[in-house]
Amino acid sequence: MLHCFLLAIGLGLAAGAPAPRRAYHLSGYAQGTTYAVTYYAADSAVAGADVARQLAEIDASLSLYAPGSLINRFNQAARGVVADRHLRLVVRKALAVYRDTGGRFDATVEPLVQAWGFGPRPVARPPSAAAIAALLPLVGSDKVHLRGDSLVKDVPGVHLDLNGIAQGYTVDVLAALLERHRIRNYLVEVGGEIRVRGRKWPGGAPMRVGVERPDTTDAPPAGLQQVVQLRAGGITTSGNYRKFKRWGPVKSAHLIDPKTGYAFRNELVSATVVARDALTADAYDNALMGMGLADALAFLRRHRHLQAYLLYQRPDGTVADTATRGFQRLIVHP
Amino acid sequence: MTNLPRRDFIKQTGLLTGGLWLPGALADALGAPAPMRKIKLGVIGCGDRGTGLLKILQDLPDQFEVVAVCDELPFRLQNALKSAGHAKTYADYHALLDARAVEAVIIAVPLHLHFQVAKDALAAGKQVYLEKTMTYDIPQALELVRLAQQRPAQTLQVGHQYRYSPLYYRVKEMIKQGYLGKVTQIDCRWDRNGSWRRPVPEPGLERKINWRMYREYSGGLAAELLSHQMDFINWAFETHADEVFGTGGIDFYKDGRETYDNVQVMVRYAQEGMVGNFGATCGNARDGYLFKLKGTKGTISLLVDQGMYYPEQETRKQYGTVDGVTGATKITWNKDGGMAITTGAEPLKDGSWYSLRDFHQAIIERKVPDSNVLTGARAACTVHMANQAIYNHTIEKWRPEYNLA
């Protein structure tokens, strides 16, 4: 089900000049959330139908919620599947970040995520310790390999969940769609993951991106924590603050530690990452969340191509923030 | 543009590095559990409020055990036992206070008795949860502060329960963080379309049951309803009323009552530069509970368990809108430009639940509760000034002797 809106907001045409750029907005529903595309161009080069086609193609490859999708077929297969371009690109990134982060980002955590009730199927009770222990041997991205055009697994029960980075990837794919139509000024957003390039026209103002203020756990917050200006790149956020499940006294956040099988427990509340593209940012924001504050900051010192803004909880319950130098330079101060 | 609501984001002031109170899920998930010990509780006064609190206490089984209930009307005691299990019953509160098993008491008696019962409870060494308004008048308020200060090991909490809701804590924080800018006006109402009477099983009990109708016992609508909002403003802005104007009358229910069924109070907060408007009528229910705080940067509109924030036009212009928002999940905005003020994953409970939980914590941790004898006295002074203004057609002024510390 896809609703598309096309809305043009134009100012008067300047006489004699080359056709001025105007803002075009596209928005609708995708991947269980909403998307919004704004681009500045002389005409409506990209329409809602183009976006819808692109989104459907990605869903058919990467969505756990689309029956018969390539990823679902991989998860059901004993050995593997022939991967399409989307699956190949996203898995390659997932495996690279898995290695780079010492397994903090692990796309094979799906059986544990499902056991805790954050997967496509509802669960009635939290998993027992024994159930978690039984699932752990199925987890580990070192059991997944790209070989030629195939995606294969070492153990039949291994499942992939690319939801953590599929939105970032989708944002990049939509940005590429705009780029193919020679559009160089745009902002693409899917489910809070963003890719931006250029400026707003007319006027030439830089694009401003708000970082959500995570003072709530499942309802709209009261404001923004920060506003940044970004010339080009991806900016994404991972947070542990909204999605919770509770069964009596047992409570679990949705980011599950692939090593232990239980929700990550550290002081981080959210991690916002700026990188060259949204796929990269989206993969690392998850990994940072799993590291805890000290390790995340040490990791960022070793990875200068990533800029990050971290919110964490102090022992007294208040929330504080910290950011890399590069991120601080992006912040707009009113 | 209504299909692009997310673009109407506002950059708020004071949020950049400010501490943030995190109630609910996150604090639960990360915080250490408080030490737990059940407090043996007696409830004095089992009318509407007393039995209401008894029901809430059933949701705090780890904190309290109700061991005694007291009321001079037998049918009320019977009714109270429905929520109080095997509690011992008393007709005379002195006897309940003598019971050594009772460690703490809830006092939910008519207003004119608040002072005497609280005084006796303190003298008996009990921890005290005293319903609002704290006392009937200003002299009693000042005297109760003096008595409580002589007994620092005992807790005295005042039952302004609405402000114990995480929502009201969040609003206090938002005010501090500058969401509203400079607040100049506050509108408060608590209206109903009904007589405010309770059914009386026999005519002889009229004054006991409908004590709110009689000035000898009650501070009327100002004490029973508007005191909550008066107390919240004092607490949130750390201020007090400097001047109080009032009017009112028995304008619809000419049924022998003495307290007014229609009142309006204007309060000047001179230090804060604010005007508070407080009204209550028994003759119209359209507004019901209304609480609006109006500042140069925005408005907060509150119900008992819901709040909305509406930024002013200038606030948007000053900070500009953003083109996109990154966050772990999506946000939606309502169409009239408001944002829901939110507090946590859990649905909000009744304010009394938070209030009683704090009472337990205050006793266990020997800390001063947020609604304490000093804030209770400030609210009681304001209510008394309001009633003086309403009934005597005077302008009441805050006096230095009301400044308590």
Side-chain angles (χ1 to χ4, degrees):
Chain A
M1 181 80 150
L2 194 70
H3 304 284
C4 293
F5 307 100
L6 178 57
L7 181 70
I9 299 168
L11 294 181
L13 296 174
R21 281 173 287 204
R22 324 186 310 172
Y24 293 91
H25 298 296
L26 305 168
S27 63
Y29 293 90
Q31 300 176 352
T33 178
T34 56
Y35 73 85
V37 175
T38 300
Y39 64 90
Y40 299 87
D43 57 41
S44 56
V46 174
D50 303 322
V51 171
R53 222 170 6 254
Q54 198 63 260
L55 292 171
E57 198 182 299
I58 293 172
D59 271 359
S61 178
L62 304 180
S63 174
L64 288 178
Y65 295 85
S69 66
L70 200 46
I71 191 168
N72 276 330
R73 280 189 277 139
F74 172 82
N75 288 344
Q76 286 146 17
R79 185 81 186 100
V81 293
V82 174
D84 69 357
R85 189 171 145 270
H86 298 302
L87 188 58
R88 229 169 16 244
L89 279 170
V90 177
V91 169
R92 186 171 300 143
K93 175 64 81 174
L95 295 181
V97 176
Y98 169 79
R99 287 187 294 268
D100 193 27
T101 60
R104 288 296 184 182
F105 175 78
D106 192 331
T108 62
V109 75
E110 196 268 346
L112 291 167
V113 171
Q114 174 57 54
W116 281 104
F118 296 104
R121 298 178 301 281
V123 301
R125 61 187 69 82
S128 64
I132 289 169
L135 290 174
L136 283 174
L138 305 178
V139 174
S141 288
D142 52 349
K143 301 177 181 77
V144 174
H145 314 277
L146 281 165
R147 285 198 187 122
D149 63 355
S150 294
L151 177 64
V152 295
K153 47 181 155 181
D154 295 342
V155 183
V158 168
H159 280 204
L160 274 179
D161 174 358
L162 298 168
N163 286 352
I165 51 174
Q167 287 177 358
Y169 176 71
T170 304
V171 165
D172 287 339
V173 169
L174 294 182
L177 169 70
L178 298 173
E179 295 270 355
R180 284 202 299 280
H181 287 84
R182 298 194 172 75
I183 295 165
R184 301 290 182 265
N185 298 275
Y186 56 80
L187 184 144
V188 178
E189 180 263 343
V190 177
E193 322 295 14
I194 289 174
R195 173 84 179 257
V196 66
R197 181 174 176 187
R199 292 171 169 275
K200 293 185 275 189
W201 299 96
M207 308 267 189
R208 294 155 66 101
V209 176
V211 178
E212 190 183 286
R213 173 188 163 88
D215 57 348
T216 67
T217 44
D218 73 351
L224 299 179
Q225 193 72 23
Q226 298 285 7
V227 173
V228 296
Q229 280 181 1
L230 204 57
R231 293 292 298 275
I235 178 166
T236 67
T237 298
S238 178
N240 227 352
Y241 52 93
R242 285 264 178 90
K243 287 193 201 156
F244 280 94
K245 286 251 190 301
R246 183 193 271 284
W247 301 269
V250 180
K251 186 174 202 170
S252 178
H254 73 121
L255 295 177
I256 307 295
D257 185 343
K259 300 265 195 283
T260 65
Y262 291 86
F264 283 119
R265 281 181 78 90
N266 61 50
E267 69 277 66
L268 286 176
V269 177
S270 74
T272 299
V273 174
V274 176
R276 244 182 104 232
D277 55 66
L279 173 60
T280 306
D282 212 2
Y284 282 102
D285 67 15
N286 284 297
L288 290 172
M289 280 303 294
M291 291 180 193
L293 182 63
D295 287 357
L297 290 173
F299 183 86
L300 288 164
R301 279 195 289 275
R302 297 194 305 271
H303 291 75
R304 300 288 180 168
H305 65 294
L306 301 175
Q307 303 305 332
Y309 176 68
L310 305 173
L311 279 155
Y312 60 97
Q313 192 172 38
R314 296 197 198 93
D316 67 359
T318 59
V319 168
D321 59 359
T322 184
T324 61
R325 272 280 164 78
F327 194 95
Q328 282 170 23
R329 279 195 287 271
L330 301 173
I331 293 174
V332 182
H333 294 284
Chain B
M1 291 298 286
T2 51
N3 58 333
L4 295 164
R6 297 190 72 220
R7 259 144 249 285
D8 289 333
F9 270 91
I10 306 299
K11 175 74 178 65
Q12 308 302 344
T13 54
L15 298 180
L16 300 184
T17 54
L20 169 60
W21 187 73
L22 267 191
L26 191 56
D28 280 4
L30 301 171
M36 203 51 87
R37 178 171 73 80
K38 253 191 222 192
I39 300 217
K40 290 190 169 27
L41 190 66
V43 176
I44 302 172
C46 297
D48 282 354
R49 188 64 193 141
T51 48
L53 286 171
L54 279 169
K55 289 199 182 82
I56 304 257
L57 285 164
Q58 292 180 317
D59 291 333
L60 291 161
D62 297 332
Q63 283 84 359
F64 296 104
E65 180 186 353
V66 179
V67 296
V69 290
C70 172
D71 201 290
E72 52 180 349
L73 301 178
F75 74 90
R76 280 190 169 162
L77 275 179
Q78 283 313 309
N79 187 39
L81 285 178
K82 287 181 200 158
S83 319
H86 303 294
K88 200 162 173 214
T89 56
Y90 295 87
D92 176 0
Y93 80 86
H94 294 97
L96 183 150
L97 291 178
D98 286 340
R100 296 187 59 168
V102 176
E103 188 180 348
V105 290
I106 286 176
I107 301 171
V109 296
L111 179 60
H112 73 298
L113 297 172
H114 279 195
F115 172 75
Q116 190 58 50
V117 180
K119 181 183 169 184
D120 293 343
L122 284 175
K126 309 299 183 196
Q127 315 285 349
V128 176
Y129 182 98
L130 175 57
E131 260 309 315
K132 66 94 213 16
T133 303
M134 189 177 93
T135 57
Y136 180 82
D137 61 21
I138 292 172
Q140 289 178 354
L142 304 182
E143 178 62 8
L144 192 57
V145 169
R146 201 183 60 77
L147 292 171
Q149 286 179 335
Q150 287 170 356
R151 296 178 162 271
Q154 281 167 260
T155 297
L156 196 160
Q157 182 170 332
V158 180
H160 286 290
Q161 76 278 11
Y162 291 106
R163 68 133 119 143
Y164 269 101
S165 164
L167 172 67
Y168 280 66
Y169 277 89
R170 178 80 187 102
V171 169
K172 178 176 161 70
E173 186 188 55
M174 288 175 73
I175 293 167
K176 217 172 185 172
Q177 289 171 333
Y179 276 72
L180 295 182
K182 167 75 183 78
V183 175
T184 57
Q185 285 274 342
I186 301 171
D187 289 345
C188 311
R189 295 210 65 81
W190 206 326
D191 294 342
R192 69 188 62 223
N193 200 335
S195 73
W196 206 33
R197 284 183 168 280
R198 293 351 185 214
V200 177
E202 51 173 288
L205 295 177
E206 160 65 13
R207 291 176 82 87
K208 284 213 182 301
I209 289 173
N210 280 313
W211 58 272
R212 289 178 183 81
M213 305 289 124
Y214 302 97
R215 286 177 55 182
E216 184 185 342
Y217 316 129
S218 169
L221 295 167
E224 294 303 313
L225 302 177
L226 300 177
S227 59
H228 285 296
Q229 288 145 319
M230 290 171 174
D231 164 70
F232 178 78
I233 294 166
N234 288 343
W235 177 63
F237 292 92
E238 289 159 24
T239 193
H240 61 74
D242 288 284
E243 249 181 331
V244 181
F245 309 72
T247 186
I250 300 168
D251 293 331
F252 185 64
Y253 286 102
K254 300 180 192 302
D255 55 3
R257 71 180 62 201
E258 297 165 11
T259 57
Y260 290 170
D261 64 359
N262 185 23
V263 298
Q264 189 69 32
V265 177
M266 270 195 308
V267 175
R268 176 74 190 151
Y269 297 93
Q271 306 153 41
E272 287 292 319
M274 302 190 306
V275 173
N277 309 288
F278 301 84
T281 178
C282 294
N284 178 282
R286 176 82 186 118
D287 276 339
Y289 181 90
L290 176 151
F291 197 176
K292 288 183 178 170
L293 301 108
K294 302 175 176 183
T296 51
K297 289 190 174 168
T299 303
I300 285 176
S301 178
L302 285 167
L303 298 177
V304 168
D305 57 357
Q306 288 170 45
M308 293 294 292
Y309 171 66
Y310 300 93
E312 287 282 286
Q313 281 295 340
E314 275 306 306
T315 312
R316 291 165 194 271
K317 277 189 203 152
Q318 192 178 348
Y319 297 117
T321 56
V322 298
D323 303 289
V325 169
T326 179
T329 47
K330 292 280 278 204
I331 297 163
T332 46
W333 300 91
N334 78 351
K335 282 185 180 162
D336 62 351
M339 331 172 174
I341 299 167
T342 56
T343 49
E346 317 280 321
L348 284 176
K349 296 179 175 24
D350 187 285
S352 302
W353 187 88
Y354 301 102
S355 176
L356 289 169
R357 193 183 55 169
D358 190 57
F359 181 50
H360 177 266
Q361 242 172 12
I363 296 169
I364 297 287
E365 296 169 16
R366 294 173 174 273
K367 70 177 181 79
V368 178
D370 284 341
S371 177
N372 54 60
V373 73
L374 293 177
T375 65
R378 250 191 296 167
C381 288
T382 316
V383 168
H384 185 70
M385 287 162 75
N387 275 330
Q388 296 288 108
I390 290 167
Y391 291 118
N392 302 339
H393 309 281
T394 50
I395 298 173
E396 295 295 314
K397 305 222 186 245
W398 188 265
R399 296 192 191 151
E401 59 264 35
Y402 308 162
N403 292 327
L404 303 159

